[in-house]
């Protein structure tokens, strides 16, 4: 994974997380952000998935960036 690919993937996840946060904010304003609301629970599930993806992306990038920094310069 190249650094540019990592940044693009991270940015896409952050954009979706921002949209989810705005939606949760709307639900909270109307007192609909509770476990009985399926829309709210779906948002929370998607948020959790995105955080997992972000974590996996960070782990993958960390391993690849560390190994590439140890490679001899040619």
């Amino acid at each position: 994974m190249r650094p540019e690919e990592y940044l693009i993937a991270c940015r896409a996840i952050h954009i979706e997380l921002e949209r989810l946060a705005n939606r949760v904010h709307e639900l909270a304003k109307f007192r609909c952000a509770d476990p009985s609301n399926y829309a709210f629970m779906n948002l929370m599930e998607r948020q959790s998935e995105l955080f997992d993806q972000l974590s996996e992306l960070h782990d993958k990038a960390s391993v690849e960036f560390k190994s590439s920094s140890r490679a001899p310069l040619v």
Side-chain angles (χ1 to χ4, degrees):
M1 169 178 284
R2 294 188 334 251
E4 302 83 26
E5 294 171 327
Y6 169 78
L7 292 173
I8 290 168
C10 284
R11 183 67 183 135
I13 292 171
H14 283 284
I15 288 169
E16 189 172 351
L17 284 170
E18 186 175 355
R19 289 180 182 151
L20 289 176
N22 290 335
R23 181 68 180 126
V24 169
H25 181 253
E26 289 173 13
L27 290 173
K29 279 192 335 189
F30 297 106
R31 298 181 184 195
C32 297
D34 63 68
S36 66
N37 183 342
Y38 291 114
F40 174 73
M41 293 306 293
N42 288 338
L43 287 172
M44 293 293 91
E45 185 176 321
R46 182 62 184 148
Q47 181 186 42
S48 179
E49 291 169 0
L50 289 169
F51 281 127
D52 289 344
Q53 287 178 15
L54 199 55
S55 179
E56 290 171 12
L57 191 60
H58 287 318
D59 290 345
K60 182 179 176 184
S62 294
V63 168
E64 290 184 21
F65 293 161
K66 283 179 188 176
S67 65
S68 67
S69 68
R70 291 184 184 148
L73 296 175
V74 177

